[in-house]
Short mmCIF file of all heavy atoms in Angstrom, two decimals:
data_model
loop_
_atom_site.label_atom_id
_atom_site.label_comp_id
_atom_site.label_asym_id
_atom_site.label_seq_id
_atom_site.Cartn_x
_atom_site.Cartn_y
_atom_site.Cartn_z
N MET A 1 -190.15 108.89 35.12
CA MET A 1 -189.15 109.77 35.72
C MET A 1 -188.02 110.05 34.73
O MET A 1 -187.74 109.23 33.86
CB MET A 1 -188.57 109.13 36.98
CG MET A 1 -189.56 109.05 38.13
SD MET A 1 -190.08 110.67 38.67
CE MET A 1 -191.85 110.42 38.62
N ALA A 2 -187.41 111.22 34.88
CA ALA A 2 -186.36 111.61 33.93
C ALA A 2 -185.54 112.74 34.53
O ALA A 2 -185.91 113.32 35.55
CB ALA A 2 -187.00 112.08 32.63
N TYR A 3 -184.44 113.02 33.86
CA TYR A 3 -183.66 114.19 34.22
C TYR A 3 -184.27 115.42 33.54
O TYR A 3 -184.94 115.30 32.50
CB TYR A 3 -182.20 114.00 33.84
CG TYR A 3 -181.46 113.17 34.88
CD1 TYR A 3 -181.62 111.79 34.95
CD2 TYR A 3 -180.65 113.80 35.82
CE1 TYR A 3 -180.99 111.05 35.92
CE2 TYR A 3 -180.00 113.06 36.80
CZ TYR A 3 -180.18 111.68 36.84
OH TYR A 3 -179.55 110.95 37.81
N VAL A 4 -184.03 116.58 34.16
CA VAL A 4 -184.67 117.83 33.74
C VAL A 4 -183.62 118.93 33.67
O VAL A 4 -182.73 118.99 34.52
CB VAL A 4 -185.77 118.21 34.77
CG1 VAL A 4 -186.28 119.63 34.56
CG2 VAL A 4 -186.92 117.21 34.72
N ILE A 5 -183.74 119.81 32.67
CA ILE A 5 -182.84 120.97 32.57
C ILE A 5 -183.59 122.21 33.05
O ILE A 5 -184.72 122.47 32.64
CB ILE A 5 -182.35 121.17 31.12
CG1 ILE A 5 -181.57 119.91 30.67
CG2 ILE A 5 -181.45 122.40 31.03
CD1 ILE A 5 -181.06 119.97 29.24
N THR A 6 -182.94 122.96 33.92
CA THR A 6 -183.54 124.18 34.48
C THR A 6 -183.03 125.40 33.71
O THR A 6 -182.18 125.30 32.83
CB THR A 6 -183.18 124.35 35.97
OG1 THR A 6 -181.78 124.68 36.06
CG2 THR A 6 -183.48 123.09 36.75
N ASP A 7 -183.51 126.59 34.10
CA ASP A 7 -183.13 127.80 33.39
C ASP A 7 -181.70 128.26 33.68
O ASP A 7 -181.26 129.27 33.16
CB ASP A 7 -184.14 128.92 33.65
CG ASP A 7 -184.21 129.34 35.10
OD1 ASP A 7 -183.57 128.69 35.95
OD2 ASP A 7 -184.92 130.32 35.39
N ARG A 8 -180.98 127.49 34.49
CA ARG A 8 -179.55 127.81 34.63
C ARG A 8 -178.84 127.61 33.30
O ARG A 8 -177.74 128.11 33.09
CB ARG A 8 -178.89 126.90 35.67
CG ARG A 8 -179.28 127.24 37.10
CD ARG A 8 -178.45 126.44 38.08
NE ARG A 8 -179.13 126.28 39.34
CZ ARG A 8 -178.65 125.60 40.36
NH1 ARG A 8 -177.47 125.03 40.26
NH2 ARG A 8 -179.33 125.51 41.47
N CYS A 9 -179.44 126.83 32.42
CA CYS A 9 -178.87 126.61 31.08
C CYS A 9 -178.90 127.87 30.24
O CYS A 9 -177.99 128.11 29.44
CB CYS A 9 -179.66 125.50 30.38
SG CYS A 9 -179.24 125.27 28.65
N ALA A 10 -179.92 128.69 30.42
CA ALA A 10 -180.09 129.89 29.60
C ALA A 10 -178.87 130.80 29.75
O ALA A 10 -178.38 131.02 30.85
CB ALA A 10 -181.35 130.64 30.03
N GLY A 11 -178.38 131.30 28.63
CA GLY A 11 -177.20 132.16 28.66
C GLY A 11 -175.90 131.39 28.53
O GLY A 11 -174.86 131.98 28.28
N VAL A 12 -175.96 130.06 28.69
CA VAL A 12 -174.77 129.22 28.51
C VAL A 12 -174.97 128.40 27.23
O VAL A 12 -174.26 128.58 26.25
CB VAL A 12 -174.54 128.29 29.72
CG1 VAL A 12 -173.24 127.51 29.54
CG2 VAL A 12 -174.50 129.08 31.01
N ARG A 13 -175.93 127.49 27.28
CA ARG A 13 -176.36 126.76 26.08
C ARG A 13 -175.18 126.25 25.25
O ARG A 13 -175.16 126.42 24.04
CB ARG A 13 -177.26 127.67 25.22
CG ARG A 13 -178.50 128.16 25.96
CD ARG A 13 -179.38 129.07 25.12
NE ARG A 13 -180.02 128.33 24.04
CZ ARG A 13 -179.61 128.32 22.78
NH1 ARG A 13 -178.55 129.02 22.41
NH2 ARG A 13 -180.24 127.60 21.89
N ASP A 14 -174.22 125.62 25.91
CA ASP A 14 -173.02 125.20 25.19
C ASP A 14 -173.13 123.81 24.56
O ASP A 14 -172.23 123.40 23.83
CB ASP A 14 -171.80 125.26 26.13
CG ASP A 14 -171.92 124.30 27.30
OD1 ASP A 14 -173.00 123.67 27.46
OD2 ASP A 14 -170.94 124.18 28.04
N GLY A 15 -174.20 123.10 24.86
CA GLY A 15 -174.41 121.80 24.23
C GLY A 15 -173.56 120.67 24.79
O GLY A 15 -173.55 119.57 24.23
N ALA A 16 -172.85 120.91 25.88
CA ALA A 16 -171.97 119.87 26.44
C ALA A 16 -172.77 118.62 26.82
O ALA A 16 -172.29 117.50 26.67
CB ALA A 16 -171.24 120.42 27.66
N CYS A 17 -173.97 118.82 27.30
CA CYS A 17 -174.82 117.68 27.70
C CYS A 17 -175.17 116.81 26.50
O CYS A 17 -175.22 115.58 26.61
CB CYS A 17 -176.08 118.19 28.39
SG CYS A 17 -176.97 119.47 27.47
N ARG A 18 -175.40 117.42 25.38
CA ARG A 18 -175.77 116.66 24.17
C ARG A 18 -174.63 115.76 23.71
O ARG A 18 -174.87 114.70 23.14
CB ARG A 18 -176.15 117.61 23.04
CG ARG A 18 -177.45 118.32 23.26
CD ARG A 18 -177.74 119.27 22.15
NE ARG A 18 -178.39 118.60 21.03
CZ ARG A 18 -178.83 119.21 19.93
NH1 ARG A 18 -178.66 120.51 19.81
NH2 ARG A 18 -179.42 118.55 18.99
N GLU A 19 -173.42 116.21 23.94
CA GLU A 19 -172.25 115.44 23.49
C GLU A 19 -172.18 114.08 24.18
O GLU A 19 -171.65 113.13 23.62
CB GLU A 19 -170.96 116.21 23.82
CG GLU A 19 -170.91 117.61 23.28
CD GLU A 19 -170.37 117.66 21.86
OE1 GLU A 19 -169.45 116.88 21.57
OE2 GLU A 19 -170.88 118.45 21.07
N VAL A 20 -172.68 114.02 25.40
CA VAL A 20 -172.52 112.79 26.19
C VAL A 20 -173.80 111.96 26.31
O VAL A 20 -173.76 110.84 26.81
CB VAL A 20 -171.99 113.10 27.61
CG1 VAL A 20 -170.63 113.80 27.52
CG2 VAL A 20 -172.97 113.96 28.40
N CYS A 21 -174.92 112.48 25.86
CA CYS A 21 -176.18 111.75 26.02
C CYS A 21 -176.25 110.55 25.06
O CYS A 21 -176.20 110.73 23.84
CB CYS A 21 -177.37 112.67 25.77
SG CYS A 21 -178.96 111.81 25.91
N PRO A 22 -176.40 109.34 25.60
CA PRO A 22 -176.42 108.15 24.75
C PRO A 22 -177.74 107.97 24.00
O PRO A 22 -177.84 107.13 23.10
CB PRO A 22 -176.21 107.00 25.74
CG PRO A 22 -176.80 107.51 27.02
CD PRO A 22 -176.48 108.99 27.03
N LYS A 23 -178.75 108.74 24.35
CA LYS A 23 -180.07 108.58 23.73
C LYS A 23 -180.44 109.73 22.79
O LYS A 23 -181.54 109.73 22.23
CB LYS A 23 -181.14 108.47 24.84
CG LYS A 23 -181.02 107.25 25.70
CD LYS A 23 -181.36 105.98 24.92
CE LYS A 23 -182.87 105.89 24.68
NZ LYS A 23 -183.21 104.67 23.91
N ASP A 24 -179.56 110.70 22.64
CA ASP A 24 -179.87 111.87 21.80
C ASP A 24 -181.22 112.48 22.16
O ASP A 24 -182.01 112.85 21.28
CB ASP A 24 -179.86 111.49 20.31
CG ASP A 24 -178.44 111.26 19.80
OD1 ASP A 24 -177.51 111.86 20.37
OD2 ASP A 24 -178.28 110.48 18.85
N CYS A 25 -181.50 112.55 23.44
CA CYS A 25 -182.82 113.03 23.86
C CYS A 25 -182.77 114.44 24.43
O CYS A 25 -183.74 114.90 25.04
CB CYS A 25 -183.45 112.06 24.86
SG CYS A 25 -182.53 111.82 26.38
N ILE A 26 -181.65 115.16 24.22
CA ILE A 26 -181.55 116.55 24.66
C ILE A 26 -181.66 117.44 23.43
O ILE A 26 -180.95 117.25 22.44
CB ILE A 26 -180.22 116.80 25.39
CG1 ILE A 26 -180.10 115.88 26.60
CG2 ILE A 26 -180.11 118.27 25.81
CD1 ILE A 26 -178.77 115.97 27.35
N HIS A 27 -182.57 118.41 23.51
CA HIS A 27 -182.86 119.25 22.35
C HIS A 27 -182.76 120.73 22.71
O HIS A 27 -182.95 121.12 23.86
CB HIS A 27 -184.27 118.93 21.83
CG HIS A 27 -184.41 117.52 21.33
ND1 HIS A 27 -184.39 117.19 20.00
CD2 HIS A 27 -184.52 116.35 22.01
CE1 HIS A 27 -184.51 115.87 19.87
NE2 HIS A 27 -184.59 115.34 21.08
N ASP A 28 -182.48 121.54 21.68
CA ASP A 28 -182.38 122.98 21.85
C ASP A 28 -183.78 123.58 21.75
O ASP A 28 -184.40 123.54 20.68
CB ASP A 28 -181.47 123.55 20.76
CG ASP A 28 -181.20 125.03 20.94
OD1 ASP A 28 -181.85 125.67 21.79
OD2 ASP A 28 -180.33 125.55 20.23
N ALA A 29 -184.27 124.14 22.85
CA ALA A 29 -185.62 124.72 22.87
C ALA A 29 -185.59 126.23 22.68
O ALA A 29 -186.60 126.90 22.91
CB ALA A 29 -186.32 124.35 24.17
N GLY A 30 -184.44 126.76 22.34
CA GLY A 30 -184.35 128.20 22.12
C GLY A 30 -183.75 128.90 23.33
O GLY A 30 -182.55 129.15 23.38
N ALA A 31 -184.56 129.19 24.32
CA ALA A 31 -184.06 129.87 25.51
C ALA A 31 -183.12 128.97 26.31
O ALA A 31 -182.21 129.45 26.99
CB ALA A 31 -185.23 130.32 26.38
N GLN A 32 -183.36 127.69 26.25
CA GLN A 32 -182.54 126.72 26.99
C GLN A 32 -182.68 125.36 26.31
O GLN A 32 -183.53 125.18 25.45
CB GLN A 32 -183.00 126.62 28.44
CG GLN A 32 -184.44 126.03 28.59
CD GLN A 32 -184.74 125.64 30.01
OE1 GLN A 32 -185.13 126.48 30.80
NE2 GLN A 32 -184.56 124.36 30.34
N PHE A 33 -181.85 124.42 26.73
CA PHE A 33 -181.97 123.05 26.26
C PHE A 33 -182.97 122.31 27.15
O PHE A 33 -183.21 122.70 28.29
CB PHE A 33 -180.61 122.36 26.28
CG PHE A 33 -179.71 122.73 25.13
CD1 PHE A 33 -179.40 124.06 24.89
CD2 PHE A 33 -179.18 121.77 24.29
CE1 PHE A 33 -178.57 124.42 23.81
CE2 PHE A 33 -178.35 122.12 23.22
CZ PHE A 33 -178.04 123.44 22.99
N VAL A 34 -183.57 121.24 26.61
CA VAL A 34 -184.57 120.46 27.33
C VAL A 34 -184.35 118.98 27.07
O VAL A 34 -183.76 118.60 26.06
CB VAL A 34 -186.01 120.86 26.93
CG1 VAL A 34 -186.37 122.25 27.45
CG2 VAL A 34 -186.20 120.78 25.42
N ILE A 35 -184.87 118.14 27.98
CA ILE A 35 -184.73 116.69 27.88
C ILE A 35 -186.08 116.04 27.62
O ILE A 35 -187.07 116.35 28.31
CB ILE A 35 -184.11 116.12 29.18
CG1 ILE A 35 -182.68 116.63 29.34
CG2 ILE A 35 -184.16 114.59 29.19
CD1 ILE A 35 -182.04 116.29 30.69
N ASP A 36 -186.11 115.13 26.65
CA ASP A 36 -187.34 114.37 26.37
C ASP A 36 -187.53 113.31 27.45
O ASP A 36 -186.75 112.36 27.53
CB ASP A 36 -187.22 113.71 24.99
CG ASP A 36 -188.50 113.00 24.57
OD1 ASP A 36 -189.32 112.67 25.45
OD2 ASP A 36 -188.66 112.77 23.36
N PRO A 37 -188.54 113.46 28.29
CA PRO A 37 -188.72 112.54 29.42
C PRO A 37 -189.06 111.11 29.02
O PRO A 37 -188.88 110.19 29.80
CB PRO A 37 -189.85 113.18 30.23
CG PRO A 37 -190.62 113.96 29.22
CD PRO A 37 -189.61 114.47 28.23
N GLU A 38 -189.56 110.95 27.81
CA GLU A 38 -189.92 109.60 27.35
C GLU A 38 -188.70 108.84 26.85
O GLU A 38 -188.70 107.61 26.82
CB GLU A 38 -190.95 109.68 26.22
CG GLU A 38 -192.25 110.35 26.62
CD GLU A 38 -193.10 109.47 27.51
OE1 GLU A 38 -193.24 108.29 27.20
OE2 GLU A 38 -193.60 109.99 28.52
N GLU A 39 -187.67 109.56 26.46
CA GLU A 39 -186.48 108.93 25.89
C GLU A 39 -185.33 108.81 26.89
O GLU A 39 -184.47 107.95 26.76
CB GLU A 39 -185.99 109.73 24.67
CG GLU A 39 -186.98 109.75 23.52
CD GLU A 39 -187.20 108.37 22.93
OE1 GLU A 39 -186.23 107.59 22.89
OE2 GLU A 39 -188.34 108.05 22.54
N CYS A 40 -185.31 109.70 27.89
CA CYS A 40 -184.23 109.70 28.89
C CYS A 40 -184.22 108.39 29.66
O CYS A 40 -185.26 107.92 30.12
CB CYS A 40 -184.44 110.87 29.85
SG CYS A 40 -183.25 110.94 31.20
N ILE A 41 -183.00 107.81 29.81
CA ILE A 41 -182.87 106.53 30.52
C ILE A 41 -182.27 106.70 31.92
O ILE A 41 -181.83 105.74 32.54
CB ILE A 41 -182.04 105.52 29.71
CG1 ILE A 41 -180.65 106.09 29.38
CG2 ILE A 41 -182.79 105.12 28.44
CD1 ILE A 41 -179.69 105.04 28.79
N ASP A 42 -182.22 107.97 32.40
CA ASP A 42 -181.76 108.24 33.76
C ASP A 42 -180.32 107.81 34.01
O ASP A 42 -179.98 107.41 35.13
CB ASP A 42 -182.68 107.55 34.79
CG ASP A 42 -184.03 108.23 34.93
OD1 ASP A 42 -184.29 109.20 34.20
OD2 ASP A 42 -184.83 107.77 35.77
N CYS A 43 -179.47 107.95 32.99
CA CYS A 43 -178.08 107.51 33.19
C CYS A 43 -177.25 108.53 33.97
O CYS A 43 -176.24 108.19 34.56
CB CYS A 43 -177.43 107.21 31.84
SG CYS A 43 -177.07 108.69 30.85
N GLY A 44 -177.66 109.81 33.93
CA GLY A 44 -176.96 110.84 34.69
C GLY A 44 -175.71 111.40 34.03
O GLY A 44 -175.05 112.27 34.60
N ALA A 45 -175.37 110.93 32.85
CA ALA A 45 -174.14 111.40 32.18
C ALA A 45 -174.15 112.90 31.93
O ALA A 45 -173.12 113.57 32.02
CB ALA A 45 -173.94 110.65 30.87
N CYS A 46 -175.31 113.44 31.62
CA CYS A 46 -175.41 114.87 31.31
C CYS A 46 -175.16 115.75 32.53
O CYS A 46 -174.71 116.88 32.40
CB CYS A 46 -176.78 115.17 30.73
SG CYS A 46 -178.16 114.61 31.75
N VAL A 47 -175.47 115.23 33.70
CA VAL A 47 -175.34 116.03 34.93
C VAL A 47 -173.90 116.49 35.13
O VAL A 47 -173.64 117.67 35.38
CB VAL A 47 -175.81 115.23 36.16
CG1 VAL A 47 -175.56 116.00 37.45
CG2 VAL A 47 -177.28 114.88 36.03
N VAL A 48 -172.97 115.58 35.00
CA VAL A 48 -171.56 115.93 35.24
C VAL A 48 -170.97 116.73 34.09
O VAL A 48 -169.98 117.43 34.26
CB VAL A 48 -170.71 114.67 35.52
CG1 VAL A 48 -171.08 114.10 36.87
CG2 VAL A 48 -170.88 113.62 34.44
N ALA A 49 -171.59 116.66 32.92
CA ALA A 49 -171.08 117.39 31.76
C ALA A 49 -171.45 118.87 31.82
O ALA A 49 -170.79 119.71 31.21
CB ALA A 49 -171.62 116.77 30.47
N CYS A 50 -172.50 119.21 32.53
CA CYS A 50 -173.01 120.59 32.54
C CYS A 50 -172.14 121.49 33.42
O CYS A 50 -171.98 121.22 34.62
CB CYS A 50 -174.46 120.63 33.04
SG CYS A 50 -175.12 122.31 33.03
N PRO A 51 -171.61 122.59 32.86
CA PRO A 51 -170.72 123.46 33.62
C PRO A 51 -171.42 124.34 34.66
O PRO A 51 -170.75 124.95 35.50
CB PRO A 51 -170.07 124.33 32.53
CG PRO A 51 -171.10 124.38 31.44
CD PRO A 51 -171.75 123.02 31.45
N VAL A 52 -172.75 124.41 34.59
CA VAL A 52 -173.46 125.31 35.51
C VAL A 52 -174.48 124.59 36.40
O VAL A 52 -175.31 125.23 37.03
CB VAL A 52 -174.15 126.46 34.74
CG1 VAL A 52 -173.11 127.41 34.17
CG2 VAL A 52 -175.05 125.92 33.63
N GLY A 53 -174.43 123.27 36.43
CA GLY A 53 -175.34 122.54 37.31
C GLY A 53 -176.80 122.72 36.97
O GLY A 53 -177.65 122.77 37.86
N ALA A 54 -177.09 122.79 35.67
CA ALA A 54 -178.46 123.05 35.25
C ALA A 54 -179.34 121.81 35.20
O ALA A 54 -180.55 121.92 35.02
CB ALA A 54 -178.46 123.72 33.87
N ILE A 55 -178.74 120.62 35.37
CA ILE A 55 -179.50 119.39 35.16
C ILE A 55 -179.64 118.63 36.48
O ILE A 55 -178.68 118.43 37.21
CB ILE A 55 -178.81 118.48 34.12
CG1 ILE A 55 -178.49 119.29 32.85
CG2 ILE A 55 -179.68 117.28 33.80
CD1 ILE A 55 -177.70 118.52 31.80
N ALA A 56 -180.88 118.20 36.76
CA ALA A 56 -181.15 117.44 37.98
C ALA A 56 -182.23 116.40 37.68
O ALA A 56 -183.00 116.53 36.73
CB ALA A 56 -181.64 118.37 39.09
N HIS A 57 -182.26 115.37 38.52
CA HIS A 57 -183.35 114.40 38.38
C HIS A 57 -184.65 115.06 38.79
O HIS A 57 -184.68 115.89 39.72
CB HIS A 57 -183.08 113.15 39.23
CG HIS A 57 -184.01 112.02 38.88
ND1 HIS A 57 -185.22 111.85 39.50
CD2 HIS A 57 -183.91 111.05 37.94
CE1 HIS A 57 -185.84 110.79 38.96
NE2 HIS A 57 -185.05 110.30 38.02
N GLU A 58 -185.71 114.68 38.13
CA GLU A 58 -187.03 115.25 38.40
C GLU A 58 -187.38 115.20 39.88
O GLU A 58 -187.97 116.12 40.43
CB GLU A 58 -188.05 114.47 37.57
CG GLU A 58 -189.43 115.04 37.52
CD GLU A 58 -190.31 114.34 36.49
OE1 GLU A 58 -189.84 113.39 35.84
OE2 GLU A 58 -191.46 114.74 36.36
N ASP A 59 -187.01 114.12 40.54
CA ASP A 59 -187.32 113.95 41.96
C ASP A 59 -186.51 114.88 42.86
O ASP A 59 -186.85 115.05 44.03
CB ASP A 59 -187.05 112.51 42.39
CG ASP A 59 -188.07 111.55 41.84
OD1 ASP A 59 -189.14 112.00 41.37
OD2 ASP A 59 -187.80 110.33 41.87
N ASP A 60 -185.42 115.44 42.32
CA ASP A 60 -184.53 116.25 43.15
C ASP A 60 -184.68 117.75 42.91
O ASP A 60 -183.92 118.54 43.48
CB ASP A 60 -183.07 115.84 42.88
CG ASP A 60 -182.80 114.40 43.28
OD1 ASP A 60 -183.46 113.93 44.23
OD2 ASP A 60 -181.95 113.75 42.64
N LEU A 61 -185.63 118.14 42.08
CA LEU A 61 -185.85 119.57 41.84
C LEU A 61 -186.34 120.22 43.14
O LEU A 61 -187.18 119.66 43.85
CB LEU A 61 -186.88 119.77 40.73
CG LEU A 61 -186.44 119.28 39.35
CD1 LEU A 61 -187.62 119.37 38.37
CD2 LEU A 61 -185.25 120.06 38.82
N VAL A 62 -185.81 121.41 43.43
CA VAL A 62 -186.12 122.07 44.69
C VAL A 62 -186.99 123.31 44.46
O VAL A 62 -186.67 124.14 43.61
CB VAL A 62 -184.81 122.49 45.40
CG1 VAL A 62 -185.12 123.21 46.70
CG2 VAL A 62 -183.94 121.27 45.65
N GLY A 63 -188.06 123.44 45.21
CA GLY A 63 -188.89 124.63 45.19
C GLY A 63 -189.38 125.00 43.80
O GLY A 63 -189.95 124.18 43.08
N ALA A 64 -189.07 126.25 43.40
CA ALA A 64 -189.56 126.79 42.13
C ALA A 64 -188.99 126.06 40.93
O ALA A 64 -189.52 126.17 39.82
CB ALA A 64 -189.23 128.28 42.04
N GLU A 65 -187.90 125.31 41.13
CA GLU A 65 -187.33 124.55 40.00
C GLU A 65 -188.29 123.48 39.50
O GLU A 65 -188.15 122.99 38.38
CB GLU A 65 -186.02 123.87 40.42
CG GLU A 65 -184.85 124.81 40.56
CD GLU A 65 -183.57 124.08 40.93
OE1 GLU A 65 -183.63 122.91 41.35
OE2 GLU A 65 -182.51 124.69 40.79
N GLY A 66 -189.26 123.14 40.32
CA GLY A 66 -190.21 122.09 39.95
C GLY A 66 -190.92 122.36 38.64
O GLY A 66 -191.28 121.44 37.91
N VAL A 67 -191.09 123.63 38.31
CA VAL A 67 -191.79 124.01 37.08
C VAL A 67 -191.06 123.50 35.85
O VAL A 67 -191.68 123.28 34.80
CB VAL A 67 -191.99 125.54 37.01
CG1 VAL A 67 -190.67 126.25 36.76
CG2 VAL A 67 -192.98 125.91 35.92
N PHE A 68 -189.76 123.28 35.95
CA PHE A 68 -189.00 122.88 34.76
C PHE A 68 -189.27 121.45 34.33
O PHE A 68 -188.98 121.10 33.19
CB PHE A 68 -187.51 123.19 34.95
CG PHE A 68 -187.26 124.67 34.95
CD1 PHE A 68 -187.07 125.35 36.13
CD2 PHE A 68 -187.31 125.38 33.77
CE1 PHE A 68 -186.90 126.73 36.15
CE2 PHE A 68 -187.15 126.76 33.76
CZ PHE A 68 -186.95 127.44 34.95
N ALA A 69 -189.83 120.64 35.19
CA ALA A 69 -190.26 119.32 34.74
C ALA A 69 -191.34 119.49 33.67
O ALA A 69 -191.34 118.82 32.64
CB ALA A 69 -190.79 118.50 35.91
N GLN A 70 -192.25 120.43 33.89
CA GLN A 70 -193.29 120.70 32.91
C GLN A 70 -192.73 121.41 31.68
O GLN A 70 -193.14 121.15 30.55
CB GLN A 70 -194.41 121.57 33.52
CG GLN A 70 -195.40 120.83 34.40
CD GLN A 70 -194.94 120.79 35.86
OE1 GLN A 70 -194.48 121.79 36.38
NE2 GLN A 70 -195.06 119.65 36.50
N VAL A 71 -191.79 122.33 31.90
CA VAL A 71 -191.19 123.07 30.78
C VAL A 71 -190.52 122.09 29.81
O VAL A 71 -190.70 122.17 28.60
CB VAL A 71 -190.16 124.10 31.29
CG1 VAL A 71 -189.33 124.67 30.14
CG2 VAL A 71 -190.87 125.23 32.03
N ASN A 72 -189.76 121.14 30.35
CA ASN A 72 -189.09 120.15 29.51
C ASN A 72 -190.11 119.26 28.81
O ASN A 72 -190.06 119.05 27.60
CB ASN A 72 -188.12 119.28 30.33
CG ASN A 72 -186.80 119.98 30.65
OD1 ASN A 72 -185.73 119.47 30.41
ND2 ASN A 72 -186.87 121.18 31.24
N ARG A 73 -191.06 118.78 29.56
CA ARG A 73 -192.08 117.86 29.03
C ARG A 73 -192.90 118.53 27.93
O ARG A 73 -193.18 117.94 26.88
CB ARG A 73 -192.97 117.40 30.19
CG ARG A 73 -193.98 116.36 29.83
CD ARG A 73 -194.61 115.74 31.06
NE ARG A 73 -193.81 114.68 31.59
CZ ARG A 73 -193.36 114.57 32.83
NH1 ARG A 73 -193.68 115.49 33.72
NH2 ARG A 73 -192.62 113.58 33.20
N ALA A 74 -193.30 119.78 28.17
CA ALA A 74 -194.19 120.48 27.24
C ALA A 74 -193.57 120.67 25.87
O ALA A 74 -194.27 120.63 24.86
CB ALA A 74 -194.58 121.83 27.83
N PHE A 75 -192.23 120.84 25.83
CA PHE A 75 -191.57 121.04 24.54
C PHE A 75 -191.81 119.86 23.60
O PHE A 75 -191.90 120.02 22.39
CB PHE A 75 -190.07 121.25 24.75
CG PHE A 75 -189.30 121.46 23.47
CD1 PHE A 75 -189.33 122.69 22.83
CD2 PHE A 75 -188.58 120.42 22.90
CE1 PHE A 75 -188.65 122.87 21.62
CE2 PHE A 75 -187.89 120.60 21.70
CZ PHE A 75 -187.91 121.83 21.06
N PHE A 76 -191.95 118.69 24.18
CA PHE A 76 -192.15 117.47 23.38
C PHE A 76 -193.62 117.08 23.28
O PHE A 76 -193.95 116.01 22.78
CB PHE A 76 -191.32 116.32 23.99
CG PHE A 76 -189.85 116.63 24.05
CD1 PHE A 76 -189.27 117.10 25.20
CD2 PHE A 76 -189.05 116.50 22.92
CE1 PHE A 76 -187.92 117.43 25.25
CE2 PHE A 76 -187.70 116.82 22.94
CZ PHE A 76 -187.14 117.29 24.12
N GLY A 77 -194.49 117.93 23.82
CA GLY A 77 -195.92 117.65 23.77
C GLY A 77 -196.30 116.48 24.66
O GLY A 77 -197.30 115.81 24.41
N ARG A 78 -195.51 116.26 25.71
CA ARG A 78 -195.77 115.14 26.65
C ARG A 78 -196.82 115.51 27.67
O ARG A 78 -196.87 116.64 28.11
CB ARG A 78 -194.49 114.70 27.36
CG ARG A 78 -193.32 114.41 26.46
CD ARG A 78 -193.56 113.24 25.58
NE ARG A 78 -192.33 112.84 24.88
CZ ARG A 78 -192.30 112.10 23.77
NH1 ARG A 78 -193.41 111.70 23.22
NH2 ARG A 78 -191.16 111.77 23.23
S1 SF4 B 101 -179.76 111.25 32.03
FE1 SF4 B 101 -178.68 110.18 30.34
S2 SF4 B 101 -180.28 109.68 28.84
FE2 SF4 B 101 -181.14 111.23 30.23
S3 SF4 B 101 -180.74 113.17 29.20
FE3 SF4 B 101 -179.02 112.82 30.61
S4 SF4 B 101 -177.45 111.79 29.37
FE4 SF4 B 101 -179.41 111.66 28.24
S1 SF4 B 102 -174.48 121.35 29.44
FE1 SF4 B 102 -175.79 122.60 30.81
S2 SF4 B 102 -175.53 124.72 30.09
FE2 SF4 B 102 -174.76 123.35 28.47
S3 SF4 B 102 -176.53 123.07 27.10
FE3 SF4 B 102 -176.56 121.37 28.55
S4 SF4 B 102 -177.89 122.07 30.24
FE4 SF4 B 102 -177.33 123.87 29.03
#
């Protein structure tokens, strides 16, 4: 389990989440930032740092947002 970034990040991409991540597991995927699910320790620090609410725990993704668990994972070849 891990935290996931949704497409609410696109168009903002300010990197605020990266500043606070203790594991350096947030990466720039181009259209949006993504989280490496193997490295994320579920601390939640990035959630409060994001100005647009783009980050949620994988278990809390709602409806169509579920696809972003795969989008984040796929970037790292997971
Ligand atoms: S939950 Fe913690 S470890 Fe995971 S991406 Fe966010 S800040 Fe990094
Ligand atoms: S803080 Fe939010 S908007 Fe900014 S890069 Fe991270 S996920 Fe994207």
Side-chain angles (χ1 to χ4, degrees):
M1 291 297 129
Y3 279 76
V4 168
I5 300 178
T6 71
D7 63 354
R8 287 188 205 179
C9 172
V12 184
R13 301 179 69 260
D14 63 353
C17 51
R18 290 178 85 177
E19 305 273 322
V20 300
C21 178
K23 295 291 286 180
D24 287 333
C25 61
I26 301 176
H27 297 258
D28 186 350
Q32 66 166 84
F33 282 56
V34 290
I35 294 172
D36 185 338
E38 299 287 315
E39 296 295 325
C40 176
I41 57 170
D42 287 2
C43 72
C46 54
V47 175
V48 290
C50 181
V52 291
I55 309 175
H57 193 270
E58 190 170 1
D59 288 345
D60 297 329
L61 295 172
V62 178
E65 286 182 345
V67 71
F68 290 101
Q70 281 89 44
V71 168
N72 282 232
R73 185 168 276 126
F75 180 78
F76 301 98
R78 308 295 190 200

